[in-house]
Amino acid sequence: MERYWNKEIECMSREDMKKLQDERLVAQVKHVYANVPYYKKLMDEKGVTPDDIRSTADLHKLPFLTKADLREAYPYGLLAKPLSECVRIQSTSGTTGKRVVAFYTQHDIDLWEDCCARAITAAGGTKDDVCQVCYGYGLFTGGPGLNGGSHKVGCLTLPMSSGNTERQIQFMIDLQSTILCCTPSYAAYIGETLHEMGYTTDDIKLKAGIFGAEPWTEEMRREIEKSLGIKAYDIYGLTETSGPGVSFECSEQTGMHINEDHFIAEIIDPDTGEVLPEGSKGELVFTSITKEAFPLLRYRTRDICVLTREKCSCGRTLVKMSKPLGRSDDMLIIRGVNVFPSQIETVLIEQGYAPNYQIEVDRVNNSDTLDINVEMSDDKFSDMVKDIQQKERELAAAIKTMLGISPKVHLVPPKTIARSEGKAVRVIDKRKLQG
Ligand code: ADP
Ligand code: ZN
């Protein structure tokens, strides 16, 4: 039986949801125009006033905000409430450059935690569950967000933070955790360590995992589900819009429902900024219509995905986003070909390798090189050089079929690629390091 945290909202008719969004958007634009000089200037430059925004149909008239704006306005330039009304600051993990900070009033914290409670409930969580949160705590939004959501649901919450993996497993066994929240790469690492410590899935009580904060493939989902004996659910969010919980997966596991009562989603062409019709692949843009302190309008996430309103078997009517293929700025252009690390991950897991790999891109004699270090699992480990070369050739051929360009594959001994306790670093682009 499907469980909802807020059935009225999660299963609301499109008509009612649109009405709610219309009202909230109109009020939010007024609030931002009156309180954020930085955004007022952008609107003035575009010749738009709050009176021009009468419903969501007018959304496209508003200017975009980008990460560059956030950096320019750092730290207080986009704040829409007096600091005395703010109760929290969080910050991005800085994956792609200088960190940005986001501010929250108590109202903003409540709505964020509420979104996380929806995600936990959709994954089957109730007050009878023990929820082990191993996202990082601190400025990073992962730990605090899921921690708050878990409290709301009434789960017994284990605020573990990331790291100290053997202790994570000991607690998981001793305290009979039923739900695990962390990055997918850390979940894979926890699974690996569990088996190394001589345990099996029979020794743990986990039933579900809520994994996000970085891209992961369907192949990786199956691996994690097998190694931990659970159902693995995706969760998405970004600091700029509050944190995890902007969207979450339901029992159907075919994309994440966006909490549309708080966030309006659009898909745009990243080159022209034009809004694309439903079903098109493009850059995801969010407008937060309920946040008070840091209410970004038309924020360009740089995440590439597809939105769909097809009926979902879970009964929710909230629009669904596909797993982001990766960020537009994660995309590598190698010898003119667009490559997402997730495509390489798909091939590796299909070929029976664990998701322990690192991609190195360089430029030698004016030509791009692509080297992929892939760890052998214990059962594949072979010290027969001939064998290794054969396996490297097979893997390179499979990757060439996927990408259209030939990589150099290097099989490396087990446990030589660093494991991730947070967001995994998959790519070293030496071309960028050289400037
Ligand atoms: P940073 O941009 O420094 O990593 P955040 O910690 O706020 O800062 O990360 C937000 C970004 O993480 C998103 O824009 C997206 O690229 C990525 N992300 C979050 N959740 C997911 C997910 N479930 N799948 C893929 N990518 C995700
Ligand atoms: Zn659903």
Side-chain angles (χ1 to χ4, degrees):
M1 191 197 63
E2 190 77 28
R3 287 206 182 85
Y4 311 100
W5 176 249
N6 184 338
K7 186 164 186 209
E8 194 193 332
I9 290 285
E10 293 173 56
C11 303
M12 190 174 253
S13 72
R14 285 291 342 135
E15 222 170 280
D16 289 348
M17 180 56 80
K18 170 143 191 338
K19 227 162 53 203
L20 187 69
Q21 287 188 330
D22 287 345
E23 281 165 20
R24 289 180 170 180
L25 175 68
V26 170
Q28 186 70 304
V29 172
K30 288 195 178 119
H31 168 58
V32 171
Y33 194 80
N35 294 294
V36 184
Y38 189 97
Y39 199 74
K40 176 178 184 296
K41 186 163 161 267
L42 291 183
M43 282 177 66
D44 290 344
E45 279 167 8
K46 222 178 163 218
V48 197
T49 68
D51 290 340
D52 296 323
I53 310 300
R54 294 205 200 101
S55 77
T56 47
D58 297 320
L59 189 59
H60 68 98
K61 296 178 183 164
L62 290 170
F64 291 117
L65 277 172
T66 64
K67 199 122 177 169
D69 289 308
L70 265 69
R71 287 182 181 139
E72 196 182 321
Y74 174 92
Y76 302 122
L78 287 163
L79 192 61
K81 280 278 179 186
L83 275 180
S84 57
E85 286 187 43
C86 297
V87 297
R88 177 97 65 82
I89 287 177
Q90 304 277 178
S91 168
T92 60
S93 30
T95 313
T96 57
K98 190 180 160 192
R99 287 163 180 268
V100 298
V101 290
F103 299 83
Y104 304 71
T105 60
Q106 186 56 49
H107 159 92
D108 296 338
I109 296 280
D110 284 341
L111 80 84
W112 173 29
E113 293 181 349
D114 210 68
C115 288
C116 290
R118 291 182 196 176
I120 293 170
T121 309
T126 69
K127 67 184 201 36
D128 297 322
D129 280 292
V130 180
C131 183
Q132 181 163 347
V133 184
C134 337
Y135 284 108
Y137 279 64
L139 282 171
F140 176 54
T141 53
L146 269 309
N147 190 89
S150 173
H151 272 237
K152 283 218 168 185
V153 173
C155 302
L156 176 59
T157 309
L158 286 178
M160 299 293 292
S161 197
S162 61
N164 206 335
T165 308
E166 293 197 358
R167 190 184 63 183
Q168 299 276 7
I169 289 165
Q170 210 54 61
F171 269 97
M172 186 180 287
I173 292 171
D174 296 347
L175 301 173
Q176 308 197 341
S177 309
T178 53
I179 298 178
L180 177 67
C181 304
C182 59
T183 59
S185 52
Y186 194 40
Y189 181 25
I190 290 177
E192 182 184 7
T193 310
L194 176 86
H195 296 281
E196 268 171 24
M197 286 169 77
Y199 296 115
T200 70
T201 52
D202 292 339
D203 297 302
I204 56 174
K205 290 272 185 309
L206 280 189
K207 62 176 186 186
I210 302 175
F211 307 131
E214 62 181 358
W216 51 312
T217 56
E218 284 302 327
E219 289 73 19
M220 182 134 163
R221 186 205 308 264
R222 283 194 287 275
E223 281 294 300
I224 296 172
E225 290 191 330
K226 198 166 77 193
S227 105
L228 289 170
I230 58 173
K231 256 188 109 163
Y233 297 86
D234 205 350
I235 184 167
Y236 169 92
L238 56 166
T239 314
E240 295 90 321
T241 53
S242 60
V246 170
S247 65
F248 61 95
E249 242 177 8
C250 62
S251 53
E252 202 181 274
Q253 293 180 297
T254 56
M256 295 174 273
H257 289 286
I258 296 174
N259 285 311
E260 288 182 278
D261 51 328
H262 298 299
F263 306 102
I264 302 178
E266 299 169 278
I267 291 284
I268 63 159
D269 177 327
D271 297 322
T272 63
E274 181 201 350
V275 179
L276 299 177
E278 190 195 319
S280 320
K281 187 160 86 184
E283 181 179 348
L284 186 58
V285 173
F286 280 117
T287 296
S288 55
I289 47 178
T290 48
K291 281 174 60 191
E292 294 178 339
F294 202 67
L296 301 190
L297 306 181
R298 297 199 90 200
Y299 180 65
R300 293 184 57 160
T301 63
R302 302 184 293 178
D303 292 322
I304 304 293
C305 70
V306 178
L307 295 181
T308 166
R309 292 202 175 278
E310 267 168 43
K311 199 166 182 310
C312 190
S313 62
C314 75
R316 288 180 183 80
T317 49
L318 301 171
V319 68
K320 277 203 304 205
M321 59 181 270
S322 62
K323 262 181 180 308
L325 194 59
R327 307 187 204 210
S328 51
D329 46 8
D330 265 353
M331 191 184 76
L332 296 159
I333 302 181
I334 304 171
R335 288 173 233 146
V337 176
N338 297 350
V339 174
F340 279 102
S342 57
Q343 294 174 296
I344 294 173
E345 181 177 300
T346 299
V347 177
L348 294 184
I349 299 179
E350 268 171 13
Q351 299 286 320
Y353 293 86
N356 299 316
Y357 63 95
Q358 200 149 44
I359 300 164
E360 265 182 48
V361 188
D362 204 351
R363 185 163 291 142
V364 179
N365 298 330
N366 294 318
S367 173
D368 295 332
T369 57
L370 170 61
D371 287 77
I372 308 172
N373 296 319
V374 181
E375 205 176 273
M376 287 174 275
S377 45
D378 280 326
D379 57 318
K380 283 208 180 217
F381 186 58
S382 159
D383 50 11
M384 288 173 61
V385 175
K386 205 173 86 212
D387 220 38
I388 290 179
Q389 284 176 344
Q390 175 60 24
K391 286 191 174 123
E392 287 174 341
R393 273 196 298 270
E394 283 167 15
L395 201 47
I399 292 170
K400 176 163 190 220
T401 307
M402 168 68 104
L403 303 180
I405 52 170
S406 295
K408 245 195 225 131
V409 169
H410 311 275
L411 288 178
V412 299
K415 311 276 169 299
T416 45
I417 290 179
R419 300 295 187 266
S420 153
E421 295 170 351
K423 298 195 190 211
V425 180
R426 303 290 195 194
V427 179
I428 301 170
D429 194 340
K430 293 184 174 157
R431 300 173 302 184
K432 279 191 189 151
L433 299 177
Q434 289 158 1

Short mmCIF file of all heavy atoms in Angstrom, two decimals, residues 182-234:
data_model
loop_
_atom_site.label_atom_id
_atom_site.label_comp_id
_atom_site.label_asym_id
_atom_site.label_seq_id
_atom_site.Cartn_x
_atom_site.Cartn_y
_atom_site.Cartn_z
N CYS A 182 22.18 8.17 2.39
CA CYS A 182 23.55 8.63 2.10
C CYS A 182 23.70 8.81 0.60
O CYS A 182 22.74 8.63 -0.14
CB CYS A 182 24.59 7.65 2.64
SG CYS A 182 24.47 5.98 2.00
N THR A 183 24.90 9.16 0.16
CA THR A 183 25.11 9.23 -1.29
C THR A 183 25.14 7.81 -1.84
O THR A 183 25.53 6.88 -1.12
CB THR A 183 26.45 9.93 -1.64
OG1 THR A 183 27.52 9.20 -1.03
CG2 THR A 183 26.47 11.37 -1.16
N PRO A 184 24.78 7.62 -3.11
CA PRO A 184 24.84 6.27 -3.68
C PRO A 184 26.25 5.70 -3.66
O PRO A 184 26.43 4.49 -3.43
CB PRO A 184 24.33 6.45 -5.11
CG PRO A 184 24.07 7.89 -5.31
CD PRO A 184 24.15 8.60 -4.01
N SER A 185 27.27 6.54 -3.86
CA SER A 185 28.62 5.98 -3.84
C SER A 185 28.98 5.50 -2.44
O SER A 185 29.64 4.47 -2.28
CB SER A 185 29.66 6.96 -4.39
OG SER A 185 29.57 8.20 -3.76
N TYR A 186 28.49 6.21 -1.41
CA TYR A 186 28.78 5.73 -0.06
C TYR A 186 27.97 4.47 0.26
O TYR A 186 28.46 3.57 0.93
CB TYR A 186 28.53 6.83 0.98
CG TYR A 186 29.14 6.50 2.33
CD1 TYR A 186 30.40 5.89 2.41
CD2 TYR A 186 28.49 6.78 3.53
CE1 TYR A 186 30.97 5.58 3.63
CE2 TYR A 186 29.06 6.47 4.76
CZ TYR A 186 30.30 5.86 4.79
OH TYR A 186 30.88 5.54 6.00
N ALA A 187 26.76 4.40 -0.27
CA ALA A 187 25.96 3.18 -0.06
C ALA A 187 26.67 1.96 -0.65
O ALA A 187 26.72 0.89 -0.04
CB ALA A 187 24.58 3.35 -0.69
N ALA A 188 27.26 2.16 -1.83
CA ALA A 188 27.99 1.04 -2.46
C ALA A 188 29.18 0.63 -1.58
O ALA A 188 29.46 -0.56 -1.40
CB ALA A 188 28.47 1.46 -3.86
N TYR A 189 29.84 1.62 -1.02
CA TYR A 189 30.99 1.37 -0.16
C TYR A 189 30.56 0.65 1.13
O TYR A 189 31.21 -0.31 1.59
CB TYR A 189 31.67 2.70 0.13
CG TYR A 189 32.92 2.65 0.98
CD1 TYR A 189 33.71 1.50 1.06
CD2 TYR A 189 33.33 3.78 1.69
CE1 TYR A 189 34.86 1.49 1.84
CE2 TYR A 189 34.47 3.78 2.47
CZ TYR A 189 35.23 2.63 2.55
OH TYR A 189 36.36 2.61 3.32
N ILE A 190 29.45 1.07 1.69
CA ILE A 190 28.94 0.42 2.91
C ILE A 190 28.61 -1.04 2.60
O ILE A 190 28.95 -1.95 3.36
CB ILE A 190 27.70 1.18 3.46
CG1 ILE A 190 28.13 2.55 4.03
CG2 ILE A 190 26.99 0.36 4.54
CD1 ILE A 190 26.98 3.42 4.53
N GLY A 191 27.99 -1.27 1.43
CA GLY A 191 27.65 -2.64 1.03
C GLY A 191 28.91 -3.50 0.91
O GLY A 191 28.97 -4.63 1.41
N GLU A 192 29.90 -2.94 0.28
CA GLU A 192 31.17 -3.66 0.09
C GLU A 192 31.80 -4.00 1.44
O GLU A 192 32.23 -5.13 1.68
CB GLU A 192 32.09 -2.74 -0.73
CG GLU A 192 33.43 -3.32 -1.08
CD GLU A 192 34.32 -2.29 -1.80
OE1 GLU A 192 33.95 -1.10 -1.90
OE2 GLU A 192 35.40 -2.69 -2.25
N THR A 193 31.81 -3.02 2.33
CA THR A 193 32.43 -3.22 3.65
C THR A 193 31.66 -4.25 4.47
O THR A 193 32.26 -5.08 5.17
CB THR A 193 32.52 -1.87 4.40
OG1 THR A 193 33.09 -0.90 3.53
CG2 THR A 193 33.37 -1.98 5.64
N LEU A 194 30.34 -4.21 4.37
CA LEU A 194 29.51 -5.17 5.10
C LEU A 194 29.95 -6.60 4.78
O LEU A 194 30.18 -7.43 5.67
CB LEU A 194 28.04 -4.98 4.71
CG LEU A 194 27.03 -5.96 5.30
CD1 LEU A 194 26.58 -5.46 6.67
CD2 LEU A 194 25.80 -6.13 4.41
N HIS A 195 30.10 -6.87 3.48
CA HIS A 195 30.46 -8.23 3.07
C HIS A 195 31.90 -8.56 3.45
O HIS A 195 32.21 -9.68 3.85
CB HIS A 195 30.18 -8.42 1.57
CG HIS A 195 28.72 -8.30 1.26
ND1 HIS A 195 27.83 -9.35 1.48
CD2 HIS A 195 27.96 -7.27 0.82
CE1 HIS A 195 26.61 -8.95 1.16
NE2 HIS A 195 26.65 -7.69 0.76
N GLU A 196 32.78 -7.55 3.36
CA GLU A 196 34.18 -7.76 3.76
C GLU A 196 34.30 -8.10 5.24
O GLU A 196 35.18 -8.83 5.66
CB GLU A 196 34.98 -6.48 3.53
CG GLU A 196 35.63 -6.45 2.18
CD GLU A 196 36.21 -5.08 1.92
OE1 GLU A 196 36.50 -4.33 2.90
OE2 GLU A 196 36.35 -4.76 0.75
N MET A 197 33.40 -7.53 6.02
CA MET A 197 33.45 -7.79 7.47
C MET A 197 32.87 -9.17 7.78
O MET A 197 32.80 -9.58 8.94
CB MET A 197 32.66 -6.71 8.22
CG MET A 197 33.39 -5.36 8.29
SD MET A 197 32.30 -4.03 8.90
CE MET A 197 32.25 -4.35 10.66
N GLY A 198 32.44 -9.88 6.75
CA GLY A 198 31.96 -11.25 6.94
C GLY A 198 30.46 -11.33 7.20
O GLY A 198 29.94 -12.39 7.55
N TYR A 199 29.75 -10.23 7.04
CA TYR A 199 28.29 -10.25 7.24
C TYR A 199 27.58 -10.47 5.91
O TYR A 199 28.17 -10.31 4.84
CB TYR A 199 27.81 -8.92 7.84
CG TYR A 199 28.35 -8.63 9.21
CD1 TYR A 199 29.19 -7.54 9.41
CD2 TYR A 199 28.00 -9.43 10.30
CE1 TYR A 199 29.69 -7.25 10.67
CE2 TYR A 199 28.50 -9.14 11.56
CZ TYR A 199 29.34 -8.06 11.74
OH TYR A 199 29.82 -7.78 12.99
N THR A 200 26.32 -10.81 6.01
CA THR A 200 25.49 -10.89 4.81
C THR A 200 24.25 -10.02 5.06
O THR A 200 24.08 -9.48 6.15
CB THR A 200 25.01 -12.33 4.53
OG1 THR A 200 24.06 -12.68 5.55
CG2 THR A 200 26.16 -13.32 4.53
N THR A 201 23.38 -9.95 4.06
CA THR A 201 22.17 -9.13 4.23
C THR A 201 21.27 -9.73 5.31
O THR A 201 20.40 -9.05 5.83
CB THR A 201 21.39 -9.02 2.91
OG1 THR A 201 21.19 -10.33 2.40
CG2 THR A 201 22.14 -8.20 1.89
N ASP A 202 21.49 -11.00 5.67
CA ASP A 202 20.70 -11.60 6.75
C ASP A 202 21.01 -10.97 8.11
O ASP A 202 20.24 -11.09 9.05
CB ASP A 202 20.97 -13.11 6.85
CG ASP A 202 20.41 -13.84 5.64
OD1 ASP A 202 19.53 -13.26 4.97
OD2 ASP A 202 20.89 -14.95 5.36
N ASP A 203 22.20 -10.37 8.21
CA ASP A 203 22.59 -9.79 9.49
C ASP A 203 22.03 -8.39 9.71
O ASP A 203 22.19 -7.83 10.79
CB ASP A 203 24.13 -9.73 9.59
CG ASP A 203 24.74 -11.11 9.55
OD1 ASP A 203 24.38 -11.92 10.42
OD2 ASP A 203 25.52 -11.41 8.62
N ILE A 204 21.47 -7.79 8.68
CA ILE A 204 20.94 -6.42 8.84
C ILE A 204 19.44 -6.40 8.57
O ILE A 204 18.89 -7.31 7.96
CB ILE A 204 21.67 -5.41 7.91
CG1 ILE A 204 21.58 -5.86 6.44
CG2 ILE A 204 23.11 -5.23 8.33
CD1 ILE A 204 22.14 -4.86 5.46
N LYS A 205 18.82 -5.31 9.05
CA LYS A 205 17.35 -5.21 8.92
C LYS A 205 16.94 -4.15 7.90
O LYS A 205 15.78 -3.80 7.82
CB LYS A 205 16.75 -4.80 10.29
CG LYS A 205 16.81 -5.87 11.36
CD LYS A 205 15.56 -6.75 11.26
CE LYS A 205 15.44 -7.79 12.36
NZ LYS A 205 16.62 -8.62 12.57
N LEU A 206 17.92 -3.61 7.17
CA LEU A 206 17.60 -2.54 6.22
C LEU A 206 16.54 -2.99 5.23
O LEU A 206 16.59 -4.13 4.75
CB LEU A 206 18.84 -2.16 5.40
CG LEU A 206 19.89 -1.24 5.98
CD1 LEU A 206 20.87 -0.86 4.87
CD2 LEU A 206 19.28 0.01 6.59
N LYS A 207 15.59 -2.09 4.92
CA LYS A 207 14.62 -2.40 3.87
C LYS A 207 14.66 -1.38 2.73
O LYS A 207 14.29 -1.68 1.61
CB LYS A 207 13.21 -2.46 4.47
CG LYS A 207 12.73 -1.13 5.08
CD LYS A 207 11.30 -1.19 5.58
CE LYS A 207 10.84 0.20 6.03
NZ LYS A 207 9.54 0.22 6.65
N ALA A 208 15.10 -0.17 3.05
CA ALA A 208 15.11 0.85 2.01
C ALA A 208 16.29 1.78 2.17
O ALA A 208 16.83 1.95 3.27
CB ALA A 208 13.82 1.67 2.07
N GLY A 209 16.70 2.39 1.07
CA GLY A 209 17.75 3.40 1.09
C GLY A 209 17.27 4.62 0.34
O GLY A 209 16.52 4.48 -0.64
N ILE A 210 17.67 5.80 0.80
CA ILE A 210 17.30 7.04 0.12
C ILE A 210 18.60 7.72 -0.26
O ILE A 210 19.32 8.24 0.59
CB ILE A 210 16.42 7.93 1.03
CG1 ILE A 210 15.17 7.14 1.43
CG2 ILE A 210 16.04 9.22 0.31
CD1 ILE A 210 14.27 7.84 2.42
N PHE A 211 18.92 7.61 -1.56
CA PHE A 211 20.26 7.99 -2.01
C PHE A 211 20.20 9.10 -3.04
O PHE A 211 19.44 9.02 -4.00
CB PHE A 211 20.96 6.77 -2.62
CG PHE A 211 20.97 5.55 -1.71
CD1 PHE A 211 20.59 4.30 -2.19
CD2 PHE A 211 21.37 5.67 -0.39
CE1 PHE A 211 20.61 3.19 -1.36
CE2 PHE A 211 21.40 4.55 0.45
CZ PHE A 211 21.01 3.31 -0.03
N GLY A 212 21.03 10.11 -2.86
CA GLY A 212 21.05 11.21 -3.83
C GLY A 212 22.26 12.07 -3.63
O GLY A 212 23.26 11.64 -3.06
N ALA A 213 22.18 13.28 -4.12
CA ALA A 213 23.23 14.29 -4.05
C ALA A 213 24.28 14.15 -5.15
O ALA A 213 25.17 14.99 -5.28
CB ALA A 213 23.92 14.36 -2.68
N GLU A 214 24.21 13.08 -5.93
CA GLU A 214 25.14 12.90 -7.04
C GLU A 214 24.47 11.98 -8.07
O GLU A 214 23.54 11.24 -7.72
CB GLU A 214 26.46 12.28 -6.56
CG GLU A 214 26.27 10.88 -5.97
CD GLU A 214 27.57 10.26 -5.48
OE1 GLU A 214 28.63 10.89 -5.61
OE2 GLU A 214 27.51 9.14 -4.96
N PRO A 215 24.92 12.04 -9.32
CA PRO A 215 24.30 11.18 -10.33
C PRO A 215 24.64 9.71 -10.09
O PRO A 215 25.75 9.40 -9.63
CB PRO A 215 24.93 11.64 -11.65
CG PRO A 215 25.74 12.85 -11.34
CD PRO A 215 25.97 12.89 -9.87
N TRP A 216 23.70 8.84 -10.34
CA TRP A 216 23.97 7.39 -10.27
C TRP A 216 23.06 6.70 -11.29
O TRP A 216 22.00 7.19 -11.61
CB TRP A 216 23.79 6.83 -8.87
CG TRP A 216 22.50 7.13 -8.15
CD1 TRP A 216 21.88 8.34 -8.02
CD2 TRP A 216 21.68 6.19 -7.44
NE1 TRP A 216 20.74 8.22 -7.25
CE2 TRP A 216 20.59 6.93 -6.89
CE3 TRP A 216 21.75 4.81 -7.20
CZ2 TRP A 216 19.58 6.31 -6.13
CZ3 TRP A 216 20.76 4.23 -6.44
CH2 TRP A 216 19.69 4.96 -5.92
N THR A 217 23.54 5.58 -11.78
CA THR A 217 22.83 4.91 -12.87
C THR A 217 21.88 3.83 -12.34
O THR A 217 21.96 3.42 -11.19
CB THR A 217 23.85 4.23 -13.80
OG1 THR A 217 24.64 3.33 -12.99
CG2 THR A 217 24.77 5.24 -14.45
N GLU A 218 21.00 3.36 -13.24
CA GLU A 218 20.10 2.25 -12.90
C GLU A 218 20.92 1.00 -12.56
O GLU A 218 20.56 0.20 -11.69
CB GLU A 218 19.18 1.92 -14.07
CG GLU A 218 18.04 2.90 -14.26
CD GLU A 218 17.14 3.05 -13.03
OE1 GLU A 218 16.93 2.06 -12.30
OE2 GLU A 218 16.65 4.17 -12.81
N GLU A 219 22.05 0.83 -13.24
CA GLU A 219 22.91 -0.34 -12.99
C GLU A 219 23.45 -0.27 -11.56
O GLU A 219 23.51 -1.27 -10.86
CB GLU A 219 24.08 -0.37 -13.99
CG GLU A 219 23.68 -0.71 -15.42
CD GLU A 219 22.95 0.44 -16.13
OE1 GLU A 219 23.06 1.59 -15.67
OE2 GLU A 219 22.26 0.16 -17.13
N MET A 220 23.83 0.93 -11.16
CA MET A 220 24.36 1.09 -9.80
C MET A 220 23.23 0.84 -8.78
O MET A 220 23.46 0.24 -7.73
CB MET A 220 24.89 2.51 -9.63
CG MET A 220 25.49 2.72 -8.27
SD MET A 220 27.04 3.56 -8.44
CE MET A 220 27.32 4.14 -6.78
N ARG A 221 22.02 1.26 -9.12
CA ARG A 221 20.90 1.00 -8.23
C ARG A 221 20.75 -0.52 -7.98
O ARG A 221 20.62 -0.97 -6.86
CB ARG A 221 19.60 1.54 -8.84
CG ARG A 221 18.44 1.40 -7.83
CD ARG A 221 17.06 1.33 -8.44
NE ARG A 221 16.66 2.33 -9.36
CZ ARG A 221 15.95 3.43 -9.08
NH1 ARG A 221 15.58 3.66 -7.86
NH2 ARG A 221 15.59 4.26 -10.04
N ARG A 222 20.81 -1.29 -9.08
CA ARG A 222 20.64 -2.74 -8.92
C ARG A 222 21.75 -3.35 -8.06
O ARG A 222 21.51 -4.22 -7.25
CB ARG A 222 20.58 -3.41 -10.30
CG ARG A 222 19.22 -3.20 -10.96
CD ARG A 222 19.03 -4.13 -12.15
NE ARG A 222 19.85 -3.73 -13.28
CZ ARG A 222 19.48 -2.80 -14.18
NH1 ARG A 222 18.32 -2.20 -14.07
NH2 ARG A 222 20.27 -2.49 -15.17
N GLU A 223 22.98 -2.86 -8.28
CA GLU A 223 24.11 -3.35 -7.48
C GLU A 223 23.89 -3.11 -5.98
O GLU A 223 24.09 -3.98 -5.15
CB GLU A 223 25.39 -2.59 -7.86
CG GLU A 223 26.04 -3.04 -9.13
CD GLU A 223 26.57 -4.45 -8.99
OE1 GLU A 223 27.43 -4.67 -8.12
OE2 GLU A 223 26.11 -5.32 -9.76
N ILE A 224 23.49 -1.87 -5.66
CA ILE A 224 23.30 -1.50 -4.25
C ILE A 224 22.14 -2.30 -3.66
O ILE A 224 22.21 -2.79 -2.53
CB ILE A 224 23.04 0.01 -4.11
CG1 ILE A 224 24.25 0.82 -4.56
CG2 ILE A 224 22.69 0.37 -2.67
CD1 ILE A 224 24.03 2.32 -4.64
N GLU A 225 21.07 -2.43 -4.44
CA GLU A 225 19.89 -3.17 -3.93
C GLU A 225 20.29 -4.59 -3.58
O GLU A 225 19.86 -5.15 -2.58
CB GLU A 225 18.76 -3.13 -4.96
CG GLU A 225 18.14 -1.74 -5.09
CD GLU A 225 16.84 -1.69 -5.89
OE1 GLU A 225 16.68 -2.53 -6.81
OE2 GLU A 225 16.00 -0.81 -5.58
N LYS A 226 21.14 -5.17 -4.45
CA LYS A 226 21.57 -6.55 -4.21
C LYS A 226 22.49 -6.62 -2.99
O LYS A 226 22.31 -7.46 -2.11
CB LYS A 226 22.28 -7.08 -5.47
CG LYS A 226 22.37 -8.59 -5.51
CD LYS A 226 22.76 -9.07 -6.89
CE LYS A 226 24.24 -8.83 -7.07
NZ LYS A 226 24.81 -8.94 -8.37
N SER A 227 23.46 -5.73 -2.94
CA SER A 227 24.47 -5.89 -1.88
C SER A 227 23.91 -5.56 -0.50
O SER A 227 24.39 -6.09 0.51
CB SER A 227 25.74 -5.12 -2.23
OG SER A 227 25.84 -3.96 -1.49
N LEU A 228 22.89 -4.71 -0.43
CA LEU A 228 22.33 -4.39 0.89
C LEU A 228 20.95 -5.04 1.13
O LEU A 228 20.38 -4.92 2.22
CB LEU A 228 22.22 -2.87 1.07
CG LEU A 228 23.55 -2.11 1.24
CD1 LEU A 228 23.34 -0.61 1.16
CD2 LEU A 228 24.23 -2.47 2.56
N GLY A 229 20.43 -5.70 0.10
CA GLY A 229 19.13 -6.37 0.25
C GLY A 229 17.99 -5.39 0.50
O GLY A 229 17.15 -5.60 1.38
N ILE A 230 17.98 -4.30 -0.26
CA ILE A 230 16.98 -3.24 -0.02
C ILE A 230 16.35 -2.78 -1.33
O ILE A 230 16.76 -3.19 -2.40
CB ILE A 230 17.65 -1.98 0.61
CG1 ILE A 230 18.76 -1.47 -0.32
CG2 ILE A 230 18.19 -2.28 1.99
CD1 ILE A 230 19.36 -0.15 0.12
N LYS A 231 15.38 -1.87 -1.20
CA LYS A 231 14.93 -1.08 -2.35
C LYS A 231 15.61 0.27 -2.25
O LYS A 231 15.62 0.89 -1.18
CB LYS A 231 13.41 -0.89 -2.29
CG LYS A 231 12.67 -1.79 -3.28
CD LYS A 231 11.20 -1.45 -3.35
CE LYS A 231 10.93 -0.80 -4.69
NZ LYS A 231 9.56 -0.75 -5.12
N ALA A 232 16.22 0.71 -3.33
CA ALA A 232 16.98 1.96 -3.31
C ALA A 232 16.22 3.05 -4.05
O ALA A 232 15.87 2.89 -5.21
CB ALA A 232 18.35 1.75 -3.96
N TYR A 233 15.94 4.15 -3.34
CA TYR A 233 15.17 5.26 -3.89
C TYR A 233 16.07 6.47 -4.13
O TYR A 233 16.95 6.76 -3.32
CB TYR A 233 14.06 5.68 -2.92
CG TYR A 233 13.04 4.60 -2.65
CD1 TYR A 233 13.26 3.64 -1.67
CD2 TYR A 233 11.87 4.54 -3.40
CE1 TYR A 233 12.33 2.64 -1.43
CE2 TYR A 233 10.93 3.55 -3.15
CZ TYR A 233 11.17 2.60 -2.17
OH TYR A 233 10.25 1.62 -1.93
N ASP A 234 15.78 7.16 -5.19
CA ASP A 234 16.54 8.35 -5.53
C ASP A 234 15.91 9.58 -4.86
O ASP A 234 14.69 9.63 -4.67
CB ASP A 234 16.50 8.53 -7.06
CG ASP A 234 17.68 9.32 -7.60
OD1 ASP A 234 18.43 9.89 -6.78
OD2 ASP A 234 17.85 9.36 -8.83
#
